[in-house]
């Protein structure tokens, strides 16, 4: 029997590798792939949440700017002549020195 192992040792080693080693390596590899995929999904969710928050901030900023523009348009259209006269009066008055 020892002659069998001595002469066919490489064959037995390769058979053990195929029967035990390859399935074990594939099992470990699949777990690593699953963990990596879950990590990538969590990162994508975090980036999406961050992008949504920035979009909401930009939308709020845009809304505030639009409201300010509406007020300015109303001032200019409602009191257009008065504003022009006030600007001209400011140009005509000598400036006061700043202390």
């Amino acid at each position: 029997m020892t002659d069998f192992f001595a002469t066919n040792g490489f064959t037995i080693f390769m058979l053990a590798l195929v029967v035990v080693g390859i399935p074990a390596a594939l099992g470990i590899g699949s777990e690593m792939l699953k963990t990596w995929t879950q990590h990538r999904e969590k990162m994508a969710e975090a980036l999406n949440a961050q992008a949504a928050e920035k979009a909401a901030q930009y939308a709020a900023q845009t809304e505030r700017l639009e409201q300010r523009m509406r007020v300015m348009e109303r001032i200019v259209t409602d009191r257009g002549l008065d504003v022009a006269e006030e600007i001209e009066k400011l140009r005509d008055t000598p400036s006061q020195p700043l202390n």
Side-chain angles (χ1 to χ4, degrees), residues 81-94:
L81 293 175
D82 294 338
V83 171
E85 289 173 7
E86 288 177 26
I87 291 172
E88 289 304 318
K89 284 180 189 175
L90 288 172
R91 285 187 185 156
D92 293 339
T93 5

Side-chain angles (χ1 to χ4, degrees), residues 7-46:
T7 56
N8 295 322
F10 182 73
T11 306
I12 294 173
F13 171 74
M14 291 304 293
L15 183 62
L17 181 66
V18 168
V19 170
V20 176
I22 292 177
L26 290 175
I28 292 170
S30 70
E31 284 299 314
M32 289 173 60
L33 181 64
K34 185 169 37 169
T35 303
W36 179 76
T37 304
Q38 289 172 348
H39 173 71
R40 295 280 298 187
E41 289 173 358
K42 286 180 184 178
M43 291 297 291
E45 289 173 8

